[in-house]
Amino acid sequence: QVQVVEFGGGLVQAGGSLRLSCSASGSIFSINAMGWYGQAPGKQRELVAVISSGGSTDYADSVKGRFTISRDNAKNTVYLQMNSLKPEDTAVYYCYANVRHTNYNARYWGQGTQVTVSS
C-alpha cells in the first residue's frame, strides 16, 4: 500500500508564487520518476513537470522558466516551485510517483491540490 499526499495549493494573485510538495509513503522499494500534472476546468489532465530519480527534469512549454521541479529522494518527496503565476495556471495539480515494488512497478496518484491564480 502506497499513499501519495500533496500540500501547498491555494489562492494567489497573478505574478505571485506557490510551492507545492508531495510525499509518497508506504511499501516502497524505490521510486523512479515523480511529477506533476495539471487539470484546468473543462480540460484534460496535462503533464506540467517530471523529474527522474537521477534528477533529470522536463517541463511543459507553458511553464518553462517559471516552474522548477525538485525532489528529495531520502524523503520520497517532490516539490514544484511555481513563480510568476498566471491566471491560466489555475488548475488542480496532481502529483504522481512511479514506484518500484519487489516484483512489479506501479504509478500512484495524489488526491490533487487546487491552485487558483487571480488576475
Side-chain angles (χ1 to χ4, degrees), residues 8-11 18 20 39 41 89-93 112-117:
L11 173 65
L18 281 175
L20 307 183
Q39 186 166 20
D89 295 321
T90 295
V92 178
Y93 285 77
T113 185
Q114 176 70 47
V115 171
T116 302
V117 184

Side-chain angles (χ1 to χ4, degrees), residues 16 26 38 44 70 74-75 87 93-94 118-119:
Q44 289 186 328
S70 61
K75 297 180 179 179
Y93 285 77
Y94 295 90
S118 63
S119 57

Side-chain angles (χ1 to χ4, degrees), residues 9-59:
L11 173 65
V12 64
Q13 288 189 330
S17 298
L18 281 175
R19 190 190 194 209
L20 307 183
S21 62
C22 166
S23 294
S25 62
S27 181
I28 297 172
F29 180 72
S30 66
I31 301 179
N32 294 327
M34 300 183 79
W36 296 89
Y37 275 71
Q39 186 166 20
K43 295 187 177 182
Q44 289 186 328
R45 195 176 295 190
E46 296 180 339
L47 181 66
V48 175
V50 59
I51 185 167
S52 72
S53 58
S56 298
T57 60
D58 197 14
Y59 298 90

Side-chain angles (χ1 to χ4, degrees), residues 78-98:
V78 63
Y79 306 95
L80 186 67
Q81 179 66 43
M82 311 166 73
N83 297 331
S84 303
L85 282 160
K86 305 176 181 180
E88 51 264 42
D89 295 321
T90 295
V92 178
Y93 285 77
Y94 295 90
C95 170
Y96 74 89
N98 290 344

